[in-house]
Amino acid sequence: MGAQKRILAIFGMLLCLISMTQYLIPYAVLAEVEISKPYALRLEGDRMLTVGINTQVLLQVDMENKNDESQQYVIIVEVRDSNDITYYLQFQKGLLSPNAESQIGISWTPDKIGNYQVRSFVLSSFENPLILSPTSLNSVKVGMVSELDPVNDEDSESEADTTYYPDKEPTLYNLRQYALERINEDRARFGLPEVQLSENLAAQIHAEDNLKTRYISHWMSNGEKPYMTYTRYGGLGNVAQNIAMSGDYYYYKDCTSSRYYCEGIEPFKEIDQHQYGLMYEDKECCDNGHRDNILDNHHTHVSIGIAYDDYNFVMVQNFEGNHVKFDETIAKDSDNIRLSGEIPSKTDIYGIYIYYDENPTPEVYEKNKDMMSYDSGQLVAGVTTADYYYGDDMITITADRWVIAGNSIDISFDLEPAGTEDGVYTVMLILEDEDAEPFPVTSYSVFR
């Protein structure tokens, strides 16, 4: 029992010291020991991009004694989860020879998928602790399976730190093209056709908005949902959004104030890691919703938004289904709707539905910004011919014109019966393919 109490006391002191370093650095650090960012290694020695769940790894830190005398040390390694809660804590004691380098590795077996921050710093001892190094930080991703770092070279630090495209500048064009390649590589693995890059600006606007707020959300800070922004920038098809983000508002303040040493953003590498996460680490957080979006057979295009600074990165994927060749825009005004154009062969109209949302405002954003997913709003009406009635669950709007000739459609109706309240009314045309599978081809929002 005495040994157990001593261990608990030591760990309590460690937590206290870790908390203290946030305020002492950089003023009270002797900086007699230089340490690297902690990183994850397989037991065989390979660096890892992703640690597989329930896989034993080493959290390794490289140390260098900057003095001409031997230095006794205690190195602390702490792992925090995405809620900034200590998930794992361990230490190791030792003696560094004068001007010597050393490596320490602490065993860790994560049992939960997620993104973690690993922190490390060095003390002189527990009995009379002096802080010998600044706190060093790094991120570690835990997923379903392990993934090695393909660019790591232990003999070349500069090569290990390069992105996967060292010969290309991280221009927005190059980043979008690379993100598109990764999406289509994943689709090809499942026998799906490529998606084309869309020029719709909604994804880029959304990425820049998330970077500005440093908060990941499907809602724009003005309260808009993805299909609303997509419509405002000229989108006539259907849109479904994925978002991925690296960084944290509070860590950003610490990084920019030089309180911590933080690893800078490498955008090509961020694209790789986020695309992998959306495809292969999506089950626990999102029931594979992002993966299903990437692998939707009815998507034809994707608009990609990318925004980043030194310590934060945002990627938005707006997948689009542009199946109808419209003759003109859908809304002549806020009430008169016309769906005129050519639909794909071997498809039929499954239905036309109207959804309602309250008008977007910053208050709507604050109310919904923490939601993990979004819907199409409240179903309020259906559009049909005069000989059909949707029932009591929704309003039936009888079309003024309903002409279908081969692959050509010409349907017009008055939106006013859907509701008199101010708000956003979204028109969703749904087709049915040759396998009798329905799929949306519009998510057109009318602001009233």
Side-chain angles (χ1 to χ4, degrees):
M1 182 63 72
Q4 185 179 14
K5 287 183 178 179
R6 175 172 171 75
I7 291 173
L8 291 174
I10 289 174
F11 275 83
M13 181 176 67
L14 287 177
L15 289 171
C16 181
L17 286 167
I18 289 170
S19 177
M20 287 171 57
T21 59
Q22 299 181 23
Y23 303 99
L24 293 176
I25 293 172
Y27 305 106
V29 178
L30 298 182
E32 295 181 350
V33 175
E34 187 175 284
I35 61 174
S36 70
K37 295 173 290 186
Y39 51 92
L41 287 179
R42 284 203 314 169
L43 299 183
E44 294 84 354
D46 301 304
R47 287 201 190 194
M48 308 182 75
L49 279 176
T50 305
V51 177
I53 190 171
N54 296 321
T55 300
Q56 184 181 12
V57 296
L58 294 177
L59 299 177
Q60 183 155 306
V61 181
D62 304 332
M63 300 192 299
E64 181 180 359
N65 183 7
K66 308 297 288 185
N67 294 322
D68 295 330
E69 300 178 356
S70 296
Q71 177 63 60
Q72 190 176 30
Y73 70 86
V74 179
I75 185 166
I76 290 92
V77 176
E78 179 201 19
V79 180
R80 294 190 182 186
D81 65 17
S82 58
N83 295 317
D84 205 28
I85 296 173
T86 299
Y87 176 76
Y88 181 75
L89 186 65
Q90 193 55 268
F91 68 92
Q92 185 170 313
K93 295 181 178 181
L95 182 69
L96 277 173
S97 300
N99 300 305
E101 298 180 0
S102 183
Q103 295 176 325
I104 69 101
I106 289 178
S107 176
W108 179 46
T109 305
D111 59 2
K112 291 183 180 179
I113 292 174
N115 295 315
Y116 296 86
Q117 185 184 77
V118 185
R119 303 175 175 219
S120 184
F121 67 96
V122 182
L123 302 175
S124 58
S125 66
F126 285 139
E127 290 74 17
N128 185 26
L130 296 174
I131 300 173
L132 301 180
S133 77
T135 301
S136 186
L137 310 177
N138 205 356
S139 59
V140 172
K141 179 178 290 187
V142 176
M144 289 298 296
V145 295
S146 298
E147 182 183 18
L148 301 184
D149 187 341
V151 300
N152 180 59
D153 182 349
E154 294 183 357
D155 297 326
S156 174
E157 182 178 352
S158 60
E159 184 176 347
D161 288 340
T162 58
T163 66
Y164 299 134
Y165 266 117
D167 58 334
K168 289 190 176 182
E169 292 295 320
T171 63
L172 185 56
Y173 174 84
N174 286 340
L175 293 173
R176 281 177 173 162
Q177 290 296 323
Y178 184 59
L180 179 66
E181 290 173 15
R182 290 302 313 273
I183 289 168
N184 283 327
E185 286 171 5
D186 285 328
R187 288 176 64 88
R189 291 189 182 101
F190 291 85
L192 298 174
E194 291 186 350
V195 289
Q196 304 300 311
L197 190 63
S198 167
E199 296 182 357
N200 188 279
L201 294 176
Q204 185 61 36
I205 298 300
H206 203 123
E208 292 173 3
D209 188 68
N210 273 202
L211 181 67
K212 181 179 179 180
T213 61
R214 304 197 187 282
Y215 203 89
I216 184 170
S217 178
H218 285 295
W219 273 256
M220 292 265 289
S221 60
N222 66 1
E224 288 182 353
K225 288 182 178 179
Y227 48 86
M228 300 177 190
T229 312
Y230 173 69
T231 299
R232 280 202 304 110
Y233 284 92
L236 297 179
N238 183 65
V239 66
Q241 186 180 86
N242 286 348
I243 296 185
M245 185 174 185
S246 308
D248 182 276
Y249 174 72
Y250 295 101
Y251 295 157
Y252 178 81
K253 291 194 296 185
D254 289 333
C255 294
T256 55
S257 67
S258 301
R259 175 176 291 173
Y260 295 147
Y261 170 76
C262 300
E263 184 177 9
I265 289 294
E266 297 180 4
F268 287 111
K269 192 171 183 178
E270 294 294 325
I271 292 170
D272 269 324
Q273 292 177 344
H274 285 309
Q275 180 65 22
Y276 183 89
L278 292 170
M279 272 292 297
Y280 301 106
E281 300 172 347
D282 199 44
K283 178 65 177 177
E284 183 170 314
C285 87
C286 308
D287 198 28
N288 279 336
H290 298 104
R291 176 188 174 97
D292 292 343
N293 204 13
I294 294 169
L295 299 180
D296 191 318
N297 184 52
H298 293 109
H299 290 326
T300 61
H301 294 74
V302 61
S303 56
I304 300 171
I306 293 174
Y308 66 98
D309 55 27
D310 290 342
Y311 304 114
N312 292 266
F313 179 92
V314 184
M315 180 171 68
V316 176
Q317 301 170 339
N318 276 0
F319 286 94
E320 302 176 20
N322 294 308
H323 294 273
V324 183
K325 297 178 181 178
F326 287 102
D327 296 332
E328 56 187 36
T329 188
I330 292 174
K332 292 181 177 296
D333 54 46
S334 62
D335 286 330
N336 296 312
I337 305 299
R338 186 181 184 193
L339 301 169
S340 176
E342 184 177 337
I343 63 175
S345 61
K346 299 181 181 180
T347 65
D348 295 308
I349 292 181
Y350 179 86
I352 302 173
Y353 301 98
I354 312 299
Y355 293 82
Y356 171 79
D357 288 286
E358 60 184 318
N359 271 319
T361 64
E363 290 73 25
V364 170
Y365 167 74
E366 290 297 331
K367 182 170 63 176
N368 294 284
K369 67 179 182 180
D370 293 321
M371 299 287 288
M372 296 292 291
S373 62
Y374 66 98
D375 58 24
S376 301
Q378 178 189 355
L379 178 60
V380 293
V383 181
T384 185
T385 57
D387 56 353
Y388 188 84
Y389 175 62
Y390 275 104
D392 297 330
D393 293 336
M394 70 179 83
I395 297 168
T396 297
I397 299 177
T398 301
D400 301 320
R401 181 177 178 84
W402 187 289
V403 177
I404 301 176
N407 294 336
S408 296
I409 64 170
D410 189 359
I411 300 169
S412 59
F413 57 92
D414 189 350
L415 190 61
E416 193 275 335
T420 58
E421 296 182 49
D422 290 342
V424 181
Y425 292 82
T426 299
V427 179
M428 186 173 290
L429 169 63
I430 300 178
L431 300 182
E432 187 176 62
D433 64 20
E434 57 184 329
D435 297 321
E437 181 182 354
F439 61 101
V441 294
T442 66
S443 52
Y444 188 90
S445 295
V446 178
F447 296 79
R448 294 171 59 187

